[in-house]
Amino acid sequence: MMRIAIVGGGLGGLTLARILHRHGIDAAVYEREAGRSARSQGGSLDLHPESGQRALADAGLAGRFRSEARPEGEEHRILDPAGRTLVHHKPQPGSFSGRPEIDRSALRDLLLDSLPADTVMWQHRLVAATPRPDGGFGLTFDGGHSVDCDVLIGADGARSVVRPMLTDVALSSVATLAELRISDVDRRHPDLAELVGPGNLWCVGVSQILAAQRLGDGSIRVGISLPADDRHLDTYRSKRALLDMFDGWDPGLTALIEAGDSPPTPRRIEAMPTGTRWAHRPGVTLIGDAAHLMPPVGEGANQAMLDAAELAAELATNPADPDVAIQAYEEAMFTRTHPIAEMSARVQAMMLSPAAADDIIRFFTPRPTEPATAD
């Protein structure tokens, strides 16, 4: 039996384990967190038909996804600092034909519940992977526990421990993000509930964005995006400091910052260089952010889940020769993700540019169809 180790129990790793399980292939998922509820899983994401939704169909979970997803969450509005509407997109009521939203926590639970109970090994933080003389790897985890595997798949995110086995590529900072959460918003802040609506709100200024996103639990996730700089992250841990950065904005918008349940949580947003590739190494590969960390503009989770579906399909097709499967997956993945990473980098730069409002209006405005010309 081929022993497959998946390092990382995020959406990519769990999708891979689920699809392999459907093909009768066992895999162990090693996750550093203590359990599924150990930390917040962030906000919601829109699953694209050609990637995230396709992966869930391969996982046999399309029906459960439809029961959990919120098509109304696809609605988005873009405002300027004075509160004027620049763009307003409303989906068809109840339609799943676009990119319905689902909370990350709900999607992760859906995947976890679809796996045998012993698939995920919680509280297993990988610290070293050592090649074995006869092939495969010995894995050592924090605390000294160790296991062997024949195939190692790094699904362990931006700070992947597996990635350095394949490439020494460096990450670069592309933005600073500070997040807050407003709980029970309909009861406590009905004005903000109405402002945000059922989906996403972006308030776009000069090289700064104040965004808000409705979640399925009745809360709103607020995100402040600013260009990357050298200031210490502690600079962004105060509501007062953030409010000063948005001085002059409509108070109805900055009320989203004031209403946060607790102080802001800041972090650096990083990305890998577009076009990153590595030379194939037998028995090991990467999926998701470990393979192609992109700015968070809507593609990361979708591409991670599609990576998982494509790698699982190759492994199921070539169960006796996993290296053939890995090589086929890697070549296809490099080709697929390169233009998506380039697009994500352009969108990230556009959103934090001085002319962001005008650029975003053009981005979201449908281009007129060119009239046909006679030969």
Side-chain angles (χ1 to χ4, degrees):
M1 290 287 291
M2 176 171 54
R3 293 169 298 177
I4 299 176
I6 301 169
V7 179
L11 300 179
L14 295 176
T15 301
L16 177 58
R18 166 62 184 179
I19 299 175
L20 289 174
H21 175 66
R22 290 196 85 203
H23 286 289
I25 300 173
D26 292 332
V29 178
Y30 297 98
E31 169 53 50
R32 65 183 179 180
E33 293 175 10
R36 70 166 73 194
S37 304
R39 69 173 180 87
S40 167
Q41 295 301 307
S44 71
L45 51 90
D46 57 327
L47 282 197
H48 305 178
E50 72 282 2
S51 48
Q53 290 187 51
R54 176 187 148 190
L56 285 180
D58 289 357
L61 298 172
R64 290 194 57 193
F65 164 69
R66 289 170 69 94
S67 71
E68 296 276 359
R70 295 178 289 109
E72 70 278 6
E74 197 179 346
E75 180 172 343
H76 67 255
R77 284 197 303 143
I78 302 174
L79 310 181
D80 69 8
R84 292 184 292 258
T85 299
L86 305 177
V87 174
H88 189 184
H89 167 72
K90 295 185 74 170
Q92 289 291 332
S95 171
F96 282 85
S97 62
R99 299 174 170 184
E101 295 274 336
I102 184 169
D103 287 14
R104 283 178 176 268
S105 57
L107 182 55
R108 192 188 194 209
D109 283 346
L110 185 157
L111 289 162
L112 283 168
D113 292 343
S114 74
L115 291 167
D118 59 352
T119 300
V120 179
M121 308 295 177
W122 299 103
Q123 220 161 344
H124 278 66
R125 183 174 69 84
L126 182 69
V127 294
T130 308
R132 295 194 328 237
D134 57 344
F137 301 91
L139 307 182
T140 304
F141 300 94
D142 186 32
H145 179 63
S146 62
V147 298
D148 289 339
C149 68
D150 302 306
V151 175
L152 172 61
I153 299 160
D156 49 342
R159 296 288 177 179
S160 172
V161 177
V162 181
R163 186 195 295 132
M165 301 176 66
L166 294 169
T167 174
D168 59 359
V169 65
L171 306 182
S172 59
S173 294
V174 296
T176 299
L177 175 68
E179 293 183 307
L180 307 100
R181 186 173 290 247
I182 308 171
S183 60
D184 194 13
V185 69
D186 292 296
R187 184 183 64 83
R188 296 173 57 226
H189 300 282
D191 51 336
L192 297 181
E194 183 177 359
L195 172 69
V196 175
N200 288 273
L201 175 74
W202 300 346
C203 310
V204 182
V206 176
S207 301
Q208 56 184 170
I209 290 180
L210 171 59
Q213 179 184 64
R214 168 72 75 137
L215 301 184
D217 64 359
S219 68
I220 284 177
R221 179 172 170 250
V222 178
I224 293 94
S225 296
L226 301 160
D229 59 30
D230 295 330
R231 286 188 282 188
H232 196 279
L233 281 180
D234 286 348
T235 306
Y236 307 96
R237 296 188 192 279
S238 150
K239 288 185 189 179
R240 183 69 263 158
L242 293 179
L243 287 166
D244 288 344
M245 295 176 192
F246 288 84
D247 184 44
W249 283 46
D250 185 307
L253 304 182
T254 56
L256 288 163
I257 299 174
E258 294 179 284
D261 296 343
S262 55
T265 303
R267 60 189 172 96
R268 302 290 185 205
I269 300 298
E270 297 178 310
M272 290 166 62
T274 58
T276 296
R277 300 172 66 101
W278 55 83
H280 171 69
R281 179 175 179 178
V284 57
T285 193
L286 307 170
I287 67 172
D289 286 350
H292 43 67
L293 181 64
M294 306 175 194
V297 297
E299 286 290 351
N302 281 283
Q303 293 304 311
M305 295 172 72
L306 185 54
D307 288 349
E310 293 187 349
L311 178 55
E314 293 291 351
L315 289 168
T317 302
N318 295 283
D321 196 343
D323 273 323
V324 169
I326 288 173
Q327 284 184 284
Y329 154 73
E330 287 178 340
E331 284 306 312
M333 180 269 292
F334 293 145
T335 301
R336 166 171 50 84
T337 58
H338 187 183
I340 294 171
E342 288 188 327
M343 178 276 294
S344 297
R346 286 196 303 272
V347 171
Q348 175 70 38
M350 174 186 74
M351 292 175 69
L352 289 178
S353 76
D358 291 338
D359 291 341
I360 286 173
I361 290 173
R362 281 194 295 271
F363 185 82
F364 282 100
T365 301
R367 295 191 179 99
T369 304
E370 301 231 346
T373 56
D375 291 336

